[in-house]
Amino acid sequence: MKIATMRFSALGDLAMTIPAIRSLPQKPLMITSPLGQEVLADEVDDFIILKSKKFGDVVKLIKQIRRSEADVLLDLQGSDRSKVIRLFSGKKVIHPGAIDRCRTHRCATEIFLDMAIHQAGGGLYDYRSSRSEKNYIVLHPGSSQKWESKRLPLEKWQEFSKALWDRYELPFMITGTDSEREYCEAVKKVLVGSSHNRAGELSISELRGLLDHAFLTVSTDSGPMHLSAVLKTPTIGIFGATNWKYLMAKLLKIQLSPIHLRE
């Protein structure tokens, strides 16, 4: 039985596909986006790529799936678009509708993945880490421009770095996109201990490699946080309410740099 797996979306969603792929009895045919191909290049050899969300590209994708040798289509997306794709795929489909509403404390996504992988002939996926190498600690303080409100005041990163440096004395690798470089540089200046700002320097595959060999990742709610976790790197995710100063600045139409925010 040959398996095809379908997953699109953003970096964090794609990262969550990694343990599912590793739990399958064989490397699947991966149906994904160009970003997905970059994220999953080390996990999968064969891809069918949805170039865009345009109707014509979706039709081309369906034709490619129908022509493929896959017997089973494992839909890990569960969206309206993936529903249409699987409906016309001509394949046996395993999808989120295969399970009932979650009635336990486990995440519904986790339950679905376990059941779907089992139906596809695989085993339960495992997030347990056995990390022992102490190379460096990754700090991912940034977020996209859309979610600048997730950025913490600089003194918080200073507190985190002091606690981590006092305990481990490991250098910090600061990650982010090019648009986050200014904020990451401001974070670097207040950190306790040795640090390197890698924001804007890393491709997706290079970021993955950096996270994969880290001793620890400390991150805001972001794609790199999810990627770090599924690579079994011990990961601390920082969540919190939106900073009220951002809301007031938006209301008053004031440009407010996150670098100068203070609690």
Side-chain angles (χ1 to χ4, degrees), residues 161-185:
S161 67
K162 185 179 186 309
L164 293 169
W165 182 260
D166 288 347
R167 184 163 185 174
Y168 301 112
E169 290 191 2
L170 292 176
F172 299 106
M173 296 292 179
I174 308 169
T175 60
T177 64
D178 189 58
S179 65
E180 298 162 349
R181 184 167 180 80
E182 182 184 1
Y183 173 66
C184 289
E185 188 61 30

Side-chain angles (χ1 to χ4, degrees), residues 82-154:
S82 71
K83 184 177 180 179
V84 172
I85 293 171
R86 71 185 190 229
L87 180 64
F88 293 101
S89 68
K91 309 296 181 181
K92 177 183 177 182
V93 177
I94 300 173
H95 59 88
I99 65 171
D100 296 326
R101 181 180 179 183
C102 177
R103 298 182 182 276
T104 72
H105 294 293
R106 292 178 65 203
C107 171
T109 301
E110 183 181 348
I111 293 175
F112 161 61
L113 287 175
D114 277 349
M115 295 183 66
I117 292 166
H118 177 72
Q119 289 183 52
L124 300 184
Y125 62 91
D126 183 8
Y127 276 107
R128 290 175 296 180
S129 174
S130 58
R131 192 59 50 90
S132 59
E133 53 186 336
K134 295 185 177 182
N135 297 325
Y136 50 84
I137 295 172
V138 172
L139 301 182
H140 186 79
S143 57
S144 67
Q145 291 180 331
K146 181 180 178 182
W147 294 106
E148 287 187 352
S149 57
K150 293 182 180 181
R151 298 180 182 180
L152 299 177
L154 299 180

